[in-house]
Amino acid sequence: MSDPVEKPARFSDFLELTKPRLSLMSVLTAIIGYLAARPAHTFPRLIWVALGTSLAAGGVATLNQWLERDTDARMTRTAQRPIPSGKIPTGSAFVLGALMCTFALMLGFGAINHLTALFMLLTIIAYLACYTPAKRWTRWSTEIGAVAGAFPPLIGWAAGEGRISALGWILFGILFFWQIPHFMAVSWTHRRDYSAVNFPMPSVRDETGRWAAGWSLINTLLLIAVSLLPVYLKLDSVWYAAAAAGCGCWFLWRAIGFLNPNNRDSAARYLFLVSIAYLPLVLGALVLDRIIFF
């Protein structure tokens, strides 16, 4: 589908294609992974990690919008994105996304190491070849997408250590389990949009919301357990344990609130907001604890 473009595209339109806020989260979690590995070489490689992850995340976001331009045009929350609104031609979007992903991989192989480039490639494949089409046909699309979204810390860890040790996989687990309640809240809030394009998400299949709320609670409990593993394995101190437990209880409180059928809409918004605050607080505490006490 190609829409006529009445005016030349602006830089802000191309920037919007890269979903800068979502891409920033990928960059920050990659940096967290790099710093948590406590690498011997810090600043120069950190810049390459940030740049490579930015290119990969922006390229994936752009190609995702290119692939989903038909459903984006039919949903209220996405109809004004650059492609369905006609601000950017589909061909230009494809070229931009493909070039960004290509340069990210070249940077990973050439300036960092092969393992880092491999996780960049896995992120691209998991998101575009697995998650994006899965949204149209399976209830498990969120979990498939959570795998792709959990790779950035491994990009950073691989750049810092050259291999993936236990804490790197724990970071992967934190990102994975965090995404489930986060996106269950999002999907419930925007369930009518997703229903309009027949995405078989829990919030669409189960109009009561019990499925989405229950699954959010289960994954929040798993998130808390995984977030405390670094202390059990003596990879972080009790100070991090206190921060992770406190933030986890806050998150759990909001996940329990999501179970209430009489207040589910507002509870979903609160759960979403708490999830946004939870991640930087816990990951920041983990890195600071590693720097100060280890």
Side-chain angles (χ1 to χ4, degrees):
M1 181 175 96
S2 180
D3 297 310
V5 180
E6 298 178 357
K7 297 185 293 185
R10 299 171 298 177
F11 173 79
S12 60
D13 297 326
F14 286 102
L15 181 63
E16 186 182 349
L17 265 184
T18 67
K19 296 183 182 177
R21 286 182 293 181
L22 186 61
S23 296
L24 179 61
M25 190 189 78
S26 296
V27 175
L28 292 177
T29 54
I31 290 173
I32 289 289
Y34 182 77
L35 295 176
R38 295 184 302 160
H41 38 276
T42 53
F43 191 73
R45 182 164 287 192
L46 179 61
I47 297 301
W48 293 126
V49 169
L51 180 57
T53 309
S54 297
L55 288 169
V60 163
T62 299
L63 290 175
N64 170 255
Q65 290 184 66
W66 175 75
L67 288 167
E68 293 190 329
R69 58 195 183 275
D70 58 331
T71 53
D72 278 354
R74 291 154 53 199
M75 293 193 291
T76 302
R77 63 187 289 262
T78 57
Q80 292 306 309
R81 283 178 175 175
I83 299 175
S85 65
K87 296 173 185 175
I88 293 179
T90 55
S92 298
F94 174 80
V95 170
L96 175 64
L99 285 175
M100 291 180 75
C101 289
T102 300
F103 284 129
L105 293 174
M106 291 173 61
L107 189 60
F109 277 112
I112 309 175
N113 59 46
H114 289 183
L115 186 60
T116 299
L118 174 62
F119 280 115
M120 287 181 180
L121 179 60
L122 288 174
T123 302
I124 295 168
I125 292 173
Y127 201 98
L128 296 177
C130 301
Y131 170 59
T132 299
K135 289 165 72 173
R136 299 174 185 261
W137 59 268
T138 177
R139 167 261 176 271
W140 299 101
S141 61
T142 300
E143 290 73 18
I144 294 170
V147 173
F151 277 134
L154 297 185
I155 292 173
W157 194 280
E161 195 176 61
R163 63 189 181 94
I164 308 297
S165 51
L167 187 55
W169 290 113
I170 289 171
L171 288 171
F172 176 90
I174 289 173
L175 261 292
F176 177 86
F177 290 116
W178 170 83
Q179 288 175 87
I180 308 303
H182 173 80
F183 284 111
M184 287 297 111
V186 171
S187 69
W188 179 255
T189 300
H190 298 288
R191 61 192 181 279
R192 291 179 180 84
D193 265 345
Y194 293 126
S195 179
V197 294
N198 299 315
F199 282 173
M201 310 176 82
S203 58
V204 173
R205 285 189 169 185
D206 175 20
E207 295 181 357
T208 69
R210 287 194 296 267
W211 191 352
W215 193 228
S216 293
L217 179 62
I218 290 170
N219 281 275
T220 299
L221 290 168
L222 292 170
L223 170 63
I224 294 170
V226 172
S227 72
L228 293 173
L229 275 179
V231 183
Y232 176 76
L233 297 175
K234 299 187 178 356
L235 299 172
D236 273 287
S237 76
V238 293
W239 297 106
Y240 164 73
C247 291
C249 288
W250 186 30
F251 204 154
L252 181 61
W253 174 45
R254 287 305 180 185
I256 292 172
F258 193 26
L259 294 171
N260 184 355
N262 299 319
N263 199 31
R264 189 158 281 142
D265 286 354
S266 61
R269 289 191 292 271
Y270 281 123
L271 178 59
F272 170 78
L273 292 173
V274 169
S275 72
I276 293 295
Y278 172 90
L279 200 61
L281 288 173
V282 169
L283 295 184
L286 184 146
V287 169
L288 286 174
D289 191 87
R290 295 271 297 168
I291 293 172
I292 295 170
F293 297 108
F294 283 81

